[in-house]
Amino acid sequence: MTPAAHPFGDPQTVEVAPDASDPAVVHVTWKVGAADDLTLLGIHLGVLPEDRVMLDGAIEYDDGDAALVQQATEVHAYLLEHVEVAAGGRDCPGRVEASGDLIADGADLVFTCPQPTAVATLTVSTLTDLHPAYRTLATGPDGQHQVYGADAPTHDWALGATTTTAVDSTTTSGTGSSAALQIGGVLGAVLLVALAGTLVARRRRRATPTTPNP
């Protein structure tokens, strides 16, 4: 029985940043959303036993799962397979520089590109192999943000001084409804739509003739 994923809880997150001293280096910090996601990942990678999966697909969780999974070398290999950086059409080799509490602190991945780069292409497909509804909320320099998902796994990030012009930081694509409500840029759009609806309603009320009282 395939384990049941829980992609509608706290989302996983990614933070993208340039290196302070080497413009060819890109830093990516990945954090999982919740402890039950780590349990699912641990079963998927063989770190936790398959008998945790019940006959109906439900998962038996344990408080110690997170510690076991985050210490496993299989997780490092998984992250380097599902978090990728490229620049100028060339792949940037990566390594896991630090990995602790994957919920609170996350794993720090370092990618070294063939040459200094002002724009890096980051592909994130973590957990979408467990369930396509998983989303990753990503942030970068100068307020850039993106929602990654199975239908939108790749995005360009501006890392140089011309961040605001090199990449349209307000554009997101392929966002799911569950993740859209968790990101500030999309929330702003929702508020604008609500405001527009209010103005239209007011105009309609003003345009409707009133019947005088007898």
Side-chain angles (χ1 to χ4, degrees):
M1 177 67 67
T2 302
H6 294 78
F8 301 111
D10 294 337
Q12 54 187 330
T13 62
V14 159
E15 182 179 351
V16 186
D19 188 84
S21 57
D22 189 344
V25 173
V26 180
H27 294 266
V28 178
T29 300
W30 175 84
K31 296 181 183 180
V32 74
D36 57 357
D37 294 326
L38 280 181
T39 298
L40 289 167
L41 181 59
I43 295 172
H44 174 71
L45 297 176
V47 177
L48 298 176
E50 292 184 0
D51 60 11
R52 292 290 195 87
V53 184
M54 304 294 99
L55 292 178
D56 61 356
I59 302 297
E60 180 183 352
Y61 301 99
D62 187 274
D63 291 340
D65 288 351
L68 289 174
V69 174
Q70 65 196 22
Q71 294 171 2
T73 57
E74 291 88 344
V75 174
H76 291 187
Y78 176 85
L79 289 176
L80 291 176
E81 180 181 351
H82 291 272
V83 179
E84 302 172 272
V85 172
R90 301 175 64 184
D91 294 336
C92 304
R95 70 181 188 277
V96 178
E97 186 171 77
S99 178
D101 186 331
L102 293 178
I103 299 174
D105 303 317
D108 295 325
L109 285 69
V110 178
F111 297 87
T112 303
C113 299
Q115 59 187 17
T117 179
V119 178
T121 300
L122 174 64
T123 299
V124 179
S125 59
T126 48
L127 301 186
T128 53
D129 51 342
L130 304 184
H131 196 292
Y134 272 107
R135 294 291 185 267
T136 302
L137 304 188
T139 57
D142 298 338
Q144 295 176 87
H145 57 258
Q146 170 70 357
V147 180
Y148 283 95
D151 54 353
T154 301
H155 185 70
D156 290 340
W157 297 87
L159 305 176
T162 58
T163 300
T164 55
T165 58
V167 172
D168 181 1
S169 62
T170 63
T171 301
T172 58
S173 59
T175 59
S177 58
S178 61
L181 296 178
Q182 301 173 71
I183 190 166
V186 177
L187 277 174
V190 172
L191 291 175
L192 288 175
V193 171
L195 177 59
T198 301
L199 292 175
V200 170
R202 288 179 178 175
R203 290 176 180 174
R204 286 178 177 174
R205 285 198 297 269
R206 291 175 181 173
T208 302
T210 58
T211 303
N213 293 325

